[in-house]
Amino acid sequence: MSTAALVRGSEDLPDWHELMAAFSAWSAGEHPVTACACRLARLHRRRCPRRRKVVARRRAQLIEAIDAWAADHLCSPARVGSIGVYVDRMAAAVAEAHRALRNGEPMSGAVHTAFTDAAVLAAGWTEITSAAVPRVYLGVDQ
């Protein structure tokens, strides 16, 4: 995805509810980050050992697209690191939680651990969205 495709959308990051909906493919939403999050989740849900390099390359492109949007729209604190990598980690955790639920007992420890991991990342996302400030360009004629 090119950075030109990411110019539309809100200046703020989507909240964790919007990301979880995108990961579950309920709604990719209008926001460029949720659109990329939805695609990342699809990649994590499909396990294709023979296409591992292709999937890794596509994930890297989506992570880069999220980071490009963030660089253009946010004054992000240095400690956050890559927002795209964080979204990718969340997508992987949610995919793993759904996989554990489908393949195991609903009350098993593996399911609990997988959903706890996803919840911890969602809580961290709330901290990231609270710390990220929209970039403001002053004195530019539009």
Side-chain angles (χ1 to χ4, degrees):
M1 179 176 291
S2 69
T3 56
L6 296 174
V7 294
R8 63 187 186 283
S10 172
E11 298 297 312
D12 295 324
L13 286 169
D15 68 13
W16 71 269
H17 300 93
E18 294 169 288
L19 279 183
M20 289 298 178
F23 295 146
S24 300
W26 294 321
S27 169
E30 296 284 323
H31 199 287
V33 172
T34 57
C36 291
C38 183
R39 291 183 188 111
L40 283 167
R42 284 187 203 135
L43 291 171
H44 282 290
R45 281 194 299 264
R46 295 184 199 140
R47 289 193 171 172
C48 300
R50 288 184 275 167
R51 299 189 67 215
R52 193 172 311 183
K53 289 182 182 179
V54 172
V55 170
R57 186 171 41 252
R58 185 65 183 133
R59 282 180 46 222
Q61 291 169 341
L62 291 165
I63 290 167
E64 184 180 317
I66 292 170
D67 287 340
W69 181 90
D72 286 347
H73 292 84
L74 303 173
C75 294
S76 185
R79 67 180 184 87
V80 169
S82 168
I83 290 175
V85 168
Y86 199 90
V87 172
D88 183 57
R89 286 180 55 211
M90 284 181 73
V94 170
E96 185 56 37
H98 290 170
R99 191 174 294 115
L101 187 58
R102 276 192 319 271
N103 297 334
E105 301 264 336
M107 301 301 286
S108 73
V111 172
H112 176 77
T113 299
F115 275 91
T116 299
D117 292 346
V120 167
L121 288 167
W125 182 255
T126 299
E127 292 178 22
I128 290 170
T129 59
S130 297
V133 177
R135 186 178 298 275
V136 178
Y137 296 99
L138 301 174
V140 176
D141 294 335
Q142 295 186 0

